[in-house]
Amino acid sequence: MKKFNVKFRGVRGSYPIADKNFLQYGGNTSCVEVNVNGHVIILDAGTGLINIGNELVNQYISSNIDPEKRTPIEATVLISHIHQDHLQGFTFFKPLHIPTSQINVFGNVNYNESLADEMSELLFGKSFPLDLGDIAGNLNIKDINETEGIILRHGQAPVIKRIETEEDTKVEDDDVLITCYRSYAHPQEGVLIYKISYKDKVLVYATDKESYPGGDKKLMNFARNCDLLIHDAQYTTEDYLDGFVPKQGYGHSTFDMAIEAKKQTEAKKLVFFHFDPSYDDNKLNLIKEQYKDPQENIILAYEGLEINLI
């Protein structure tokens, strides 16, 4: 059965929150689970990743009473950038510690460093009881850039394909294609914006990016006519322009900037994402009321929100 399901697991930016006033939208940091044509794709590895891992392990255990016959866990993790709120859940992702798991991680730090080396230094060794090389599962960490696409095909390891023209984005009917580009509208090394395409449906994940005067032309072309645009909306316009502590240059957008991105890309649905950790349920509900859309083509993300594109 064909499926393109998007589930939000962590919708906060900066750091996680555990507080009774943050239960409606959730306090976990950036993580979105995508189940498309049998493939598990995970956008960013914030603390929301931990619950995905727990559920995948439960499915693995229940797949067969005999451990030797259980269905191995396979997942593709796409890292937008290596700031803490996008990596905090990775070491606690339980499938990493099961020998039969196949976890493929893609991202890009910059042209002088490898994602594997940076993740090893940031997450393991001195900051965790294990080194990256001690992981029991089959973990592959690879660098990609905007001239490459990832093809997910049943029964095969992910294939990296050179993308130079629009013709190169054409794949076999049952394949899932992942493409990206680097936005430099986030300090210090920028951020990867991802596109997941399956059949005629397209999801674009554009977190941790600030908009430009007149809009972001690169995003406009990359996300044109997408079915779902998940866009950074860390601040209200008032907080962004605050006279005492302005947020300009922090690398994040406002809700109004996200709306403008929807208009310019002609995206069919927009989800506000990556909320400031100081925005409790009450504040987000006021924002929700301000941007209320009767057609529900503009909505606020919350943990557990599911959107089916097929």
Side-chain angles (χ1 to χ4, degrees):
M1 182 179 179
K2 309 303 180 187
K3 182 168 72 170
F4 197 156
N5 177 265
V6 182
K7 186 171 184 178
F8 291 80
R9 298 294 197 145
V11 303
R12 295 281 167 184
S14 303
Y15 54 85
I17 292 289
D19 186 279
K20 64 180 181 180
N21 297 315
F22 292 77
L23 297 177
Q24 181 179 345
Y25 292 89
N28 282 304
T29 55
S30 305
C31 187
V32 179
E33 178 185 4
V34 181
N35 284 278
V36 52
N37 194 28
H39 302 282
V40 177
I41 303 172
I42 301 168
L43 292 156
D44 274 326
T47 54
L49 180 67
I50 298 169
N51 284 334
I52 299 178
N54 294 342
E55 291 180 15
L56 288 174
V57 169
N58 288 338
Q59 292 170 18
Y60 165 75
I61 293 171
S62 63
S63 67
N64 202 296
I65 194 170
D66 183 351
E68 299 296 323
K69 297 179 181 179
R70 288 172 180 164
T71 305
I73 298 170
E74 296 182 7
T76 298
V77 182
L78 306 175
I79 303 296
S80 64
H81 62 309
I82 58 169
H83 288 175
Q84 289 184 357
D85 50 334
H86 296 259
L87 292 178
Q88 288 160 333
F90 191 78
T91 50
F92 301 98
F93 184 54
K94 287 182 180 178
L96 290 174
H97 309 292
I98 298 175
T100 58
S101 294
Q102 183 66 53
I103 310 299
N104 298 295
V105 181
F106 295 92
N108 191 291
V109 181
N110 60 39
Y111 295 108
N112 300 313
E113 301 165 325
S114 75
L115 179 63
D117 287 345
E118 290 298 293
M119 290 182 68
S120 177
E121 184 175 338
L122 289 169
L123 299 177
F124 295 89
K126 293 181 181 180
S127 61
F128 194 71
L130 300 176
D131 286 322
L132 183 61
D134 295 328
I135 294 299
N138 300 293
L139 174 64
N140 296 309
I141 303 176
K142 296 183 179 180
D143 291 272
I144 56 166
N145 59 55
E146 57 192 37
T147 66
E148 297 171 320
I150 304 164
I151 298 175
L152 300 184
R153 185 174 294 156
H154 289 296
Q156 296 185 20
V159 175
I160 297 179
K161 177 183 181 181
R162 186 80 175 175
I163 303 289
E164 295 180 339
T165 66
E166 186 67 26
E167 188 69 22
D168 296 328
T169 63
K170 295 181 179 179
V171 295
E172 294 182 16
D173 184 60
D174 217 33
D175 292 346
V176 177
L177 176 65
I178 301 167
T179 52
C180 67
Y181 81 88
R182 182 183 292 278
S183 168
Y184 288 97
H186 189 74
Q188 296 181 6
E189 301 292 342
V191 58
L192 292 185
I193 308 300
Y194 285 104
K195 181 192 293 184
I196 301 174
S197 305
Y198 176 60
K199 295 191 178 295
D200 62 343
K201 300 297 181 182
V202 174
L203 157 67
V204 173
Y205 178 75
T207 189
D208 289 65
K209 64 171 302 299
E210 195 164 350
S211 292
Y212 305 107
D216 186 335
K217 304 303 180 185
K218 203 166 187 179
L219 177 66
M220 189 188 309
N221 293 327
F222 185 74
R224 175 82 62 192
N225 296 320
C226 67
D227 296 277
L228 177 61
L229 174 62
I230 302 171
H231 197 286
D232 188 283
Q234 177 135 343
Y235 305 119
T236 63
T237 299
E238 292 74 20
D239 287 344
Y240 182 80
L241 298 175
D242 184 271
F244 295 100
V245 188
K247 308 303 189 299
Q248 289 175 315
Y250 281 25
H252 294 288
S253 288
T254 65
F255 291 84
D256 291 325
M257 289 174 180
I259 294 238
E260 185 62 25
K262 179 185 186 300
K263 292 177 181 177
Q264 292 189 346
T265 61
E266 300 182 42
K268 295 179 179 65
K269 183 185 285 286
L270 167 68
V271 177
F272 296 125
F273 183 73
H274 202 273
F275 307 130
D276 187 274
S278 69
Y279 289 12
D280 62 11
D281 291 339
N282 181 58
K283 180 157 185 171
L284 287 175
N285 281 332
L286 291 174
I287 293 169
K288 178 181 178 181
E289 191 63 29
Q290 180 180 351
Y291 294 98
K292 191 172 183 179
D293 178 13
Q295 285 76 44
E296 293 194 339
N297 291 326
I298 301 173
I299 56 178
L300 273 70
Y302 59 86
E303 287 182 30
L305 169 65
E306 292 192 52
I307 297 172
N308 293 302
L309 297 182
I310 294 181

